[in-house]
Amino acid sequence: MRNLLERLEEYSLSDYYPFHMPGHKRNMPREIGVLERAASMDLTEIEGFDNLHRPEGILREARERAASVFGAQETFFLVNGSTAGVLTALSAAARQGSRVLVARNCHYSVYHAMYLRRMEPVYLYPGVVKGWGIADAILPQQVEEALMHYPDTAAVILTSPTYDGVLSDVEAVAEAAHQRGIPLIVDAAHGAHLGFARGWPESPVRLGADLVIQSLHKTLPALTQTALLHVSGERVDRERLRRFEEIYQTSSPSYLLMGSIDACVQLMQTKGRQIMEDFSLRLDEFHAGLSGLERIVLSGREILRQGRMKDFDRGKLLIAERSGRLRGGFLYQELLERYHLQMEMAGDSYVTAILTPWDREEGLMRLNEALWDLDRRIAKGKLPKTAWTVRKGDSQPYPALERSIPLYEALEEPETLCPLREAAGRSAGGYVNLYPPGIPLAVPGEILTEEMIKRLVEYVRQGLNVQGLVRTREGRLLIPVLAPQGGFLRKQE
C-alpha cells in the first residue's frame, strides 16, 4: 500500500505542469537550490491529493491508518505542531468561560488556549522527584479531590510523559474524570513512541484518555512540526473538534509534512515493535557502558523509587553530578563547547538528552566518551569553582503563586517594566519560563514572590534560557508587571 509520501514522489516525477501554488512551481531557483528535492514534492490541494480539513480520499485513508496504529477511534493530522492540537482539544472539550483542571507543568500552549477561551484554571501542582528536582506525576487522588471541590469542571488536562520523562497514572486519572462525565486531555507530545513494545510504557491513547496530542517529530522519524490529535470515546463532540482544528491549522497545509506523517505512521505500523525492542537493547548496552561512573549519575529505573510516578520514559536521559551541586548550565555548555554534543535542555542541576532508535552509534559513543572524561575531570577537581553551587535540596519545580486577576484579563492590561529584584508583590505582566521546555514559572496576573525572584535571578546567573525577562544594555534585569492605573505600556518605572 503506497503512502502519501510515495504518491508525492511519484507525482513529482510526472509531466503534470503546475499552474497553481506554491510559487516555486517545483523549480527552486539556483540561489536556494538546497531545497530543490523538497520543493519537488511541495504540493497544495490539487486533484487527487485530497483536503486536510475535509478528507475524502488519500488523506482520509492516511488518518484512518494512524488511528489504527496508535489505538484511537479517530486521528487528526497536525501540521502546526502539537500546539495546534492542544488549542483544538481544550477549545473543543470545554466551552468558553469554563472551569478546567490543569497540571501546573503544562506547556504554555495550554495557557494560550485558556486565554483565548477565557477559561478559569484550577491548578494541580506536581510534587518533586527526590535527587533530581524535577516535577513528579499528577496523582489520581489530586484529580479526585479537585473534582469534589469543583464539580462544575468541564475538562482535565495534564502532560504525560513530561519533558523530563515522567508518566502519570493516566488510566486512574481517566477513571476519576469519567466517573463525573468529564473528558481527560493528555498532552503526550513527547510520547509518540510509547505503546509499541514490551518494556515501554503504554500509550495514553490506550489508557482511557479522551483526547491525546502527540508530536511525531519529537521522538519518531518525522519532519519538525508534525503531530497527531487522537480521539476516543464520545465525551467530546467531534464536530466541535473539526471546527476548532480548522481554525487553529493553516488552510494551506504542507503536503510534504503530511507525507512525512503518513510515512512515519506506516513505518511504525510495520516495524514499530521491532524498532522499539531493538532500541531497548541498545539502551541497555549504553547504560552498561557507563555503569562505573563515579561522579556523574544518569536517570534509570531507580528514578521510579524517587518519586510517585507511574512509569518513566527511558528515551529521556537526565544527566547530573552526584551531589547535585554542578550547575546544569555549566554541564550543558561543557558538553556543547568541549565535546560538541548538543543537549535538549538544561535545568538548574541537570541536562536532558533525548535518545531515539535513530541515534547513530557514533553519537552514542561520543556521549559515552564525553561522560567518562567529564567524570574523571570532576573526580580530579579540574572544574572551575564557578561550575558549582550550594545544594539547597529539592524545591517545588512550580511554586504556587496567588493570582490578582484572571489570565485572560491580565494579558489585556497595560504592563510596565520593573527591576526584577524590586518586583515582589507585583503582578506578572507576561509569561516567565525556561525554554525549553516552555512551561510557565509565572503566569500573567500572578503575584511575584521573593522566592520566585530569587529563583529567576539564580537561573539567569547559571546562564539558563529564561524567557520573559528584559536585560538592559547596562546589564540590569527587568520584568514586565501589570502597570498601576494610568501606567504606560512597556514603560520602565
Side-chain angles (χ1 to χ4, degrees), residues 4-5 8 37-43 79 223 226 253-262:
L4 177 58
L5 194 61
L8 289 172
R37 183 65 181 129
S40 70
M41 295 187 288
D42 182 24
L43 302 180
V79 294
L223 294 177
T226 56
S254 164
Y255 271 74
L256 193 58
L257 293 183
M258 291 190 290
S260 172
I261 292 174
D262 196 24

Side-chain angles (χ1 to χ4, degrees), residues 378-405:
I378 295 173
K380 293 179 180 179
K382 297 295 186 180
L383 300 189
K385 291 182 179 180
T386 53
W388 303 90
T389 186
V390 177
R391 179 70 175 179
K392 299 179 180 179
D394 297 318
S395 58
Q396 286 295 329
Y398 302 96
L401 300 178
E402 293 184 12
R403 188 182 69 177
S404 60
I405 61 174

Side-chain angles (χ1 to χ4, degrees), residues 66-67 69-72 75-86 89 160-161 167 185-196 201-206 209 211-220 222-223 225-231 261 264-265 268:
V69 170
F70 285 90
T75 295
F76 292 85
F77 279 16
L78 303 174
V79 294
N80 290 28
S82 281
T83 292
V86 168
S160 181
L167 287 108
I185 304 168
V186 177
D187 178 354
H190 283 265
H193 61 296
L194 301 181
F196 284 97
E202 182 57 275
S203 168
V205 181
R206 296 188 176 91
L211 301 174
V212 177
I213 303 97
Q214 294 181 322
S215 286
L216 293 184
H217 72 92
K218 285 182 168 61
T219 58
L220 293 180
L223 294 177
Q225 210 169 302
T226 56
L228 300 171
L229 168 58
H230 304 291
V231 191
I261 292 174
C264 176
V265 168
M268 298 308 290

Side-chain angles (χ1 to χ4, degrees), residues 146-182:
L147 291 177
M148 287 180 62
H149 284 93
Y150 301 98
D152 60 341
T153 296
V156 179
I157 182 166
L158 56 83
T159 302
S160 181
T162 66
Y163 200 79
D164 299 306
V166 172
L167 287 108
S168 294
D169 189 344
V170 169
E171 189 170 23
V173 172
E175 183 178 352
H178 294 167
Q179 285 179 351
R180 295 178 177 270
I182 297 169

Side-chain angles (χ1 to χ4, degrees), residues 48-51 54-64:
F49 281 88
D50 214 351
N51 184 295
R54 295 290 185 273
E56 297 178 349
I58 189 170
L59 290 180
R60 179 176 178 177
E61 294 172 3
R63 282 179 39 175
E64 289 174 348

Side-chain angles (χ1 to χ4, degrees), residues 232-245:
S232 299
E234 305 299 329
R235 293 178 185 85
V236 181
D237 184 85
R238 302 292 175 88
E239 286 305 315
R240 283 177 59 82
L241 276 169
R242 279 183 267 276
R243 182 195 316 158
F244 284 106
E245 178 269 335

Side-chain angles (χ1 to χ4, degrees), residues 97 151 321 401 445 473 489:
E321 192 272 331
L401 300 178
R473 292 180 180 178
L489 186 66

